Amino acid sequence: MKLGGIEAEALAERYATPLLVIDLDEVDGAIARCRAVCDPHGIEIAYAGKALLLVALARRLAQRGLNLDVCSIGELVTAERAGFPAERITLHGCGKSNEELEAAAAARVGRIVVDGVEELQRLTRIARPEAPLRTLLRLNPGIEAHTHAFVRTGGEDTKFGIAPRDEDAVRAILRDATGLRFSGLHAHVGSQIYEPGAFVAVAEALVQASARFAREGFTAEEIVIGGGFGVMTDPSRPNERIDFRATIDAVAKAVAVAAARVRVPPPRLGIEPGRMLIGPAGTTLYRVCAVKHQARRTFVVVDGGLYENPRPALYGASHHAVAASRPNLDLQEVVLCGRSCENDVLGRAMLPSALREGDLVAMSVTGAYTYSMASNYNRFTRPAVVAVTGGQEHLLARRESIEDVLRSDVLEGV
Ligand SMILES: Cc1ncc(COP(=O)(O)O)c(C=O)c1O
């Protein structure tokens, strides 16, 4: 098996396992496809850094002309080290610290998306009237989107965004906020969404909200409909992905119609994809530690798990896995597990019955929300991340050492 033109076995030997391999040609392809759909509608694309952000990756995304969403000082400093232009960075987060608000007020980002009333109040005290900060409000549109469906709940019960009942309060605060320049409205309603109607509903809800804001003297120049565009994770279910072109075309049309109906100028549109741009480009390579034939099932224990991919444990995500070092023949269903001291099932997989300790397993679509969510649980060291493109490889993050893990322990602490 080859990744970016390089033998998976050679990569595993050079960088050890688990190893996250990012195929940069796939990232470029995903960006190009996204642009081809969005550019004709003038839609701005911001990469959601939470999916995966490393300095060299951020530098490359900046060169590709994308905007960037960050939601912590850590993500912001990563972008800064990459030389990402501040004016193309947006600060997100549902519980921003004063340090983050101060960074925004100091123009280390070009925009902020405010997530609540208290945050807006705090920001007005920190913001600088001499350099008003471009400000969007994240609304809670009462739409819950799931993989296959979405519902209008008429009052979404989540921690994110500003509830309809608080809109008057935020407008009152904005009226006196000389350090802020209201520029638009935002919503993000879920992840791995396959249903185009969910995005259309969000866009329509934001246009309706922009009419309420317009009546009170606030013009929304832009509306951002978030990320969450679902990608295929299992080749045996090829239809389980969003039709991105149909979705964006429908959103653009719905916004034009809704804006005309509520008599507001059509706002500029923005999206914030993370997974769609980086997820499918990632493959994780694991070594098999053990193959255990237990009472009813066969368990394949690999050298990763919860600490480097918490997604299956966190929200039941599944990934497709194949044997990378032997033919995928005579397959049997196995439970693929990590080696954390939890029942950290990575998923069910069809793997060769001849699979043995030391074999290599490749798990696909692991570019998003794996490394970025990794921890040192069990004091495991986080894996290396290597980028591949056309037979070349570039290390993006080296494997942590035990010393890295121990670095913040205070030896004389007690
Ligand atoms: C506000 C916001 N925007 C964008 C995204 C990116 O979502 P995805 O990676 O599913 O496209 C997220 C993900 O949680 C988010 O919270």
Side-chain angles (χ1 to χ4, degrees), residues 125-359:
R125 292 195 288 274
I126 293 171
R128 304 174 180 182
E130 67 278 13
L133 176 60
R134 193 167 151 195
T135 303
L136 285 90
L137 301 175
R138 176 169 177 171
L139 300 185
N140 182 333
I143 294 161
E144 268 182 40
H146 306 280
T147 298
H148 291 285
F150 73 96
V151 282
R152 285 169 220 262
T153 59
E156 198 188 2
D157 212 14
T158 77
K159 66 176 178 173
F160 299 106
I162 296 164
R165 83 171 81 87
D166 288 329
E167 280 182 18
D168 284 340
V170 293
R171 284 190 289 259
I173 299 168
L174 276 176
R175 215 159 263 128
D176 299 328
T178 48
L180 304 180
R181 184 174 76 70
F182 172 76
S183 75
L185 300 171
H186 172 284
H188 168 86
V189 295
S191 268
Q192 270 297 69
I193 303 170
Y194 301 148
E195 171 53 67
F199 293 97
V200 171
V202 170
E204 284 172 342
L206 288 179
V207 175
Q208 277 157 19
S210 73
R212 295 195 293 278
F213 277 77
R215 279 198 293 278
E216 301 294 327
F218 296 97
T219 305
E221 300 153 12
E222 53 186 329
I223 63 174
V224 179
I225 59 168
F229 304 97
V231 302
M232 183 181 72
T233 57
D234 185 342
S236 70
R237 297 198 299 269
N239 295 330
E240 293 205 336
R241 69 166 99 180
I242 199 153
D243 182 338
F244 183 65
R245 180 177 290 281
T247 303
I248 292 300
D249 289 349
V251 164
K253 195 170 161 198
V255 166
V257 170
R261 192 175 57 237
V262 298
R263 297 204 176 86
V264 294
R268 201 169 54 251
L269 271 170
I271 59 167
E272 304 167 335
R275 186 191 320 273
M276 186 177 80
L277 299 183
I278 198 77
T283 304
T284 304
L285 298 176
Y286 297 110
R287 280 282 169 216
V288 174
C289 301
V291 179
K292 298 187 181 182
H293 304 285
Q294 305 290 42
R296 286 183 306 282
R297 292 177 296 175
T298 298
F299 292 81
V300 171
V301 182
V302 294
D303 56 0
L306 185 62
Y307 73 99
E308 51 78 43
N309 182 0
R311 301 184 61 248
L314 206 55
Y315 38 68
S318 68
H319 294 276
H320 182 71
V322 295
S325 54
R326 62 167 77 231
N328 283 277
L329 299 172
D330 189 19
L331 302 180
Q332 62 169 348
E333 185 176 315
V334 302
V335 183
L336 199 61
C337 304
R339 64 190 189 111
S340 304
C341 294
E342 304 288 327
N343 195 10
D344 62 344
V345 171
L346 286 164
R348 287 183 188 283
M350 297 299 291
L351 292 174
S353 55
L355 199 75
R356 292 289 174 271
E357 177 196 1
D359 280 353

